[in-house]
Amino acid sequence: MDEDTKKILQKYNHCHVKIYTFNQSRYLRINKESLLPKAKNVSFSGENTEAWYPPSHGDIYASFYNSGFLDTFIGEGKEYIFVSNIDNLGAKVDLYILDHLTKPPNGKPCEFVMEVTNKTRADVKGGTLTQYEGKLRLVEIAQMPKAHVNEFKSVSKFKICNTNNLWISLAAVKRLQEQNAIDMEIIVNPKTLDGGPNVIQLETAVEAAIKSFENSLGINVPRNCFLPVKTTSDLLLVMSNLYSLNAGSLTMSEKWEFPTVPLVKLGSPFMKVQDYLRRFESIPDMLELDHLTVSGDVTFGKNVSLKGTVIIIANHGDRIDIPPGAVLENKIVSGNLRILDQ
């Protein structure tokens, strides 16, 4: 909600930076069975609260235009906007990319840059770039025929993935928006609301518009520019001693000697943040971890160290409490706390 955002931004009032906010659009959810709008009227409150939804980040073009800020920034002489997902804690403004945009080596102004990075095991489902009919296009796993899904996930064939760090020309957004020429595929997103009704949300993705812009580019950036935190498994990584916070940016520990971070899979009891926090007395040492899988009712004591491949499985009705100070290296921990060499 916009009001909640403004409350959080109040703590930055002392900073010498002006922060602008604007609302995105609100669309009606569609009943999956009847294909009719879920709302009974146009009210946003009461029984209609769950009838509306934000149509994902592809709405930024229309909402930015309608807010008036697009014209304001163009009037102030600004040329590009940098867009990133709020959950990408690695996103940063790279002045080398901005310099490339303002001084294109071939003299042709670039209207859209997508930062990509080398694909790892953690993001095999991430979108990638291809060229079709002379334009760059984003290809997502949802667009793949089932027979080619495993091929799409290959890190040897499709070596890069989209970070969703984007540089977009303001003048191009204005032109395309006024021509109604921003082309984005519609994503049909089925949802089940509290109480059971099944609904459909129609969404778009900001990066899918790359094909609408002229002279688009993909630029391969270091892996530290892509640090998405979408799950508690991701959160465990960034809260661990693999990272430290310096001047507002997360930086990888100098003690980590590998090109990619460990693969972490936490089970459903860790899904909600409050449950996740309750299950860790302190975040384990993960500087020598390669792979962690945790399933079932598991808790971690203080000062636990995880090394190599660690798999912890508590069967239904069992509980595993990893004791304080435990060091697990290449271990499988079963429901009765037997520790077996892998």
Side-chain angles (χ1 to χ4, degrees):
M1 300 292 287
D2 191 51
E3 291 304 317
D4 295 331
T5 301
K6 288 179 178 177
K7 286 179 184 176
I8 293 172
L9 292 177
Q10 284 177 0
K11 63 173 149 181
Y12 299 100
N13 287 341
H14 65 283
C15 298
H16 299 295
V17 176
K18 190 161 186 180
I19 301 175
Y20 300 87
T21 66
F22 60 90
N23 282 325
Q24 70 174 117
S25 304
R26 194 181 328 212
Y27 285 13
L28 279 166
R29 289 188 167 113
I30 301 168
N31 185 293
K32 189 175 181 180
E33 281 71 40
S34 68
L35 298 182
L36 294 173
K38 187 177 182 301
K40 295 181 171 57
N41 53 55
V42 294
S43 169
F44 295 145
S45 58
E47 63 179 349
N48 275 344
T49 302
E50 282 200 333
W52 301 87
Y53 71 98
S56 198
H57 43 57
D59 181 61
I60 187 174
Y61 301 107
S63 293
F64 188 33
Y65 180 89
N66 294 333
S67 72
F69 288 134
L70 178 60
D71 284 331
T72 298
F73 295 152
I74 291 175
E76 293 174 352
K78 296 179 174 65
E79 298 179 29
Y80 288 91
I81 183 173
F82 177 70
V83 178
S84 67
N85 287 1
I86 196 168
D87 58 31
N88 180 9
L89 303 188
K92 57 180 69 72
V93 174
D94 188 331
L95 296 181
Y96 288 105
I97 294 178
L98 183 60
D99 185 63
H100 181 87
L101 289 169
T102 56
K103 304 169 188 172
N106 60 3
K108 296 180 180 179
C110 176
E111 295 185 343
F112 194 107
V113 163
M114 176 186 293
E115 294 184 14
V116 297
T117 195
N118 294 340
K119 185 185 285 190
T120 69
R121 295 174 299 169
D123 37 52
V124 293
K125 295 181 180 180
T128 192
L129 285 176
T130 187
Q131 197 155 27
Y132 180 71
E133 295 182 344
K135 291 274 186 97
L136 280 181
R137 291 180 181 243
L138 181 74
V139 180
E140 299 277 15
I141 193 169
Q143 298 170 290
M144 288 291 106
K146 287 185 179 179
H148 295 285
V149 167
N150 288 334
E151 189 179 6
F152 179 86
K153 291 180 179 179
S154 167
V155 295
S156 58
K157 183 158 190 175
F158 294 96
K159 299 180 179 180
I160 59 170
C161 68
N162 168 35
T163 68
N164 234 24
N165 300 339
L166 309 172
W167 298 80
I168 309 172
S169 162
L170 295 177
V173 172
K174 180 177 174 64
R175 181 190 77 243
L176 293 170
Q177 189 64 31
E178 291 178 347
Q179 294 174 354
N180 195 27
I182 296 181
D183 181 16
M184 295 174 286
E185 290 78 12
I186 302 295
I187 302 166
V188 179
N189 188 4
K191 294 273 187 179
T192 300
L193 303 181
D194 292 341
N198 295 318
V199 297
I200 294 171
Q201 298 180 179
L202 302 180
E203 303 175 357
T204 55
V206 59
E207 67 273 24
I210 187 171
K211 60 182 176 292
S212 300
F213 293 83
E214 298 298 325
N215 301 315
S216 297
L217 285 177
I219 295 181
N220 200 324
V221 297
R223 184 72 198 182
N224 60 16
C225 294
F226 186 50
L227 193 56
V229 179
K230 297 182 182 295
T231 66
T232 50
S233 299
D234 300 327
L235 185 60
L236 179 61
L237 285 169
V238 299
M239 290 181 68
S240 75
N241 55 351
L242 291 169
Y243 292 95
S244 59
L245 189 63
N246 298 306
S249 295
L250 282 172
T251 56
M252 181 69 72
S253 169
E254 293 180 357
K255 296 179 181 179
W256 181 252
E257 300 175 351
F258 305 99
T260 60
V261 296
L263 186 62
V264 174
K265 297 178 181 178
L266 300 180
S268 56
F270 292 80
M271 187 175 296
K272 294 184 177 179
V273 172
Q274 60 267 32
D275 295 332
Y276 155 86
L277 293 172
R278 180 174 57 82
R279 292 179 178 277
F280 289 98
E281 286 191 49
S282 69
I283 303 301
D285 176 353
M286 298 168 60
L287 282 174
E288 297 180 48
L289 180 68
D290 178 57
H291 179 156
L292 171 67
T293 293
V294 182
S295 176
D297 187 2
V298 179
T299 64
F300 292 80
K302 291 184 178 179
N303 303 318
V304 171
S305 281
L306 304 173
K307 303 180 180 183
T309 296
V310 178
I311 300 172
I312 306 171
I313 301 173
N315 295 322
H316 181 70
D318 291 335
R319 171 172 170 164
I320 295 177
D321 296 318
I322 304 299
V327 178
L328 302 180
E329 182 172 3
N330 293 323
K331 301 293 182 184
I332 298 174
V333 183
S334 68
N336 59 5
L337 267 182
R338 288 179 298 124
I339 299 179
L340 308 171
D341 285 319
Q342 192 184 43

